[in-house]
Amino acid sequence: MTTRKSTRLAAKAVLAKQLQPTGKIVKRSPKKRQKPVSTAKLPIYTTNNAAASTDTPNSRYKTLADAGEMEAALIHLKAADPALAVIIERTTEECSMSLPRDEDSDSSFVSLCKSVIFQQLAGSAARAILVKFLKKFGTLKDKSLAPLLEDDSSKQLTPAHFIFPSPQEVLSMDYAELKAVGLSQRKAEYLQAVAERFNNGTLSDELLVNMSDSQVSEALVSIRGIGQWTADMFMMFFLKRPNVLPTLDLAVRKAMCHHFKVPFGKRLPTHNQLVDLAHAWEPYRSVATWYMWRLAGTITQKD
């Protein structure tokens, strides 16, 4: 019978094999180098979400919005990790990954554009810029609200009141106009880089839905301005993929170290070490990650 103690000991054993007493990663003998191949079409960060459980034809299209999938995830996680079962049982909030998106009409293009706008900004500041952007470039769903467009101080209009401009429209925007609504030169360039992929058909809702996790990751991080963390969030909250592990998320890293009773440092654990620790959570690492965020909110500085 799996116990919390046995789970913790197993987790420690994983890192014990990879760490020296000094806390440094044990260096393995270099493998014989093979003939180099072109990297033009290779994933940039394949090990994060390229687990076999998500890349097989029978499971890679499942989402946490599918009937019964969240229930199956919770049953699996409780059985696989008794310590996580305690966190799940004491969390009253429903895991949001199974719920409809805030703006269910948003396309993948819109979702990624919003991610770019929100990068490295506080939520309130980013929302204010997004509303300014939509007032200037978007289309009101309800034409009777048009008078509010002239009132810069009005907070009645929200992103939900607008239709986001198309990829072609974003590509036609002048950088000076984009900067006038609060976007930096770099973010303006990032928005147009995203728009280019959707405008030329390299990406689309249909293509992304039918890609495996590793293929989605590869496609997104190849876009200027889209990093691995953004790709992970997109897969978890837009595509609702069940087996994503965002190892670049600081809160997740800290919570996992606390949960598995392993040291946390500036460079440790590594990506691969976190993947090893989360092995028992597969194929529902996304759900476990959501509960790690809940755990992170309870961890004190001393912990």
Side-chain angles (χ1 to χ4, degrees), residues 3-293:
T3 65
R4 180 172 182 173
K5 182 177 180 181
S6 63
T7 300
R8 186 169 65 252
L9 291 175
K12 285 185 176 181
V14 171
L15 289 188
K17 292 179 181 180
Q18 299 179 345
L19 300 177
Q20 294 177 334
T22 59
K24 296 182 179 180
I25 301 175
V26 178
K27 293 184 178 180
R28 297 182 174 85
S29 300
K31 295 182 179 179
K32 184 179 179 180
R33 296 187 65 181
Q34 298 180 352
K35 183 179 179 180
V37 297
S38 171
T39 60
K41 295 185 178 180
L42 293 180
I44 294 177
Y45 200 62
T46 56
T47 55
N48 190 20
N49 302 303
S53 58
T54 58
D55 281 356
T56 57
N58 292 329
S59 64
R60 68 181 180 186
Y61 306 122
K62 285 184 178 180
T63 77
L64 290 168
D66 294 342
E69 196 65 11
M70 180 57 71
E71 182 181 1
L74 295 177
I75 291 173
H76 169 79
L77 292 173
K78 288 178 182 179
D81 186 345
L84 182 58
V86 174
I87 298 173
I88 293 173
E89 290 296 336
R90 76 185 183 202
T91 302
T92 56
E93 183 182 356
E94 183 178 0
C95 180
S96 60
M97 292 179 187
S98 66
L99 302 176
R101 295 189 290 268
D102 291 340
E103 296 296 330
D104 200 44
S105 60
D106 278 359
S107 64
S108 50
F109 166 69
V110 174
S111 176
L112 290 168
C113 284
K114 288 181 177 179
S115 294
V116 168
I117 292 172
F118 273 72
Q119 284 176 359
Q120 299 180 328
L121 288 176
S124 58
R127 280 189 290 273
I129 291 175
L130 176 58
V131 170
K132 287 182 180 179
F133 173 87
L134 291 171
K135 279 185 174 181
K136 186 171 183 62
F137 301 111
T139 303
L140 273 174
K141 296 175 182 177
D142 184 351
K143 301 300 182 182
S144 68
L145 298 176
L148 294 175
L149 292 175
E150 306 303 323
D151 185 358
D152 292 335
S153 63
S154 174
K155 296 184 179 180
Q156 296 181 56
L157 290 177
T158 69
H161 289 111
F162 294 90
I163 298 173
F164 201 90
S166 69
Q168 186 176 13
E169 289 171 328
V170 172
L171 281 174
S172 68
M173 295 172 188
D174 184 81
Y175 285 154
E177 292 180 310
L178 290 170
K179 291 169 72 174
V181 299
L183 292 172
S184 65
Q185 172 78 19
R186 184 167 295 180
K187 283 193 177 182
E189 294 172 359
Y190 292 169
L191 281 180
Q192 294 198 335
V194 173
E196 177 63 29
R197 298 297 180 94
F198 283 86
N199 188 59
N200 65 21
T202 304
L203 290 178
S204 68
D205 287 330
E206 184 178 2
L207 288 172
L208 286 164
V209 166
N210 287 287
M211 289 179 182
S212 67
D213 289 359
S214 59
Q215 289 171 333
V216 172
S217 180
E218 174 187 357
L220 295 187
V221 298
S222 67
I223 304 173
R224 187 181 178 211
I226 302 294
Q228 187 60 48
W229 185 88
T230 299
D232 289 344
M233 296 304 107
F234 175 81
M235 287 190 286
M236 294 172 74
F237 292 101
F238 188 85
L239 296 181
K240 297 186 178 294
R241 296 294 174 88
N243 199 34
V244 180
L245 184 67
T247 60
L248 294 180
D249 189 282
L250 183 60
V252 172
R253 293 171 60 82
K254 287 183 176 180
M256 286 185 68
C257 288
H258 180 85
H259 179 69
F260 289 108
K261 311 301 182 187
V262 298
F264 172 80
K266 187 174 182 180
R267 298 184 178 181
L268 296 173
T270 65
H271 163 77
N272 288 335
Q273 289 164 355
L274 290 169
V275 170
D276 287 341
L277 289 172
H279 179 69
W281 295 344
E282 292 192 63
Y284 296 110
R285 295 182 301 181
S286 297
V287 180
T289 293
W290 190 88
Y291 283 100
M292 287 296 101
W293 277 317

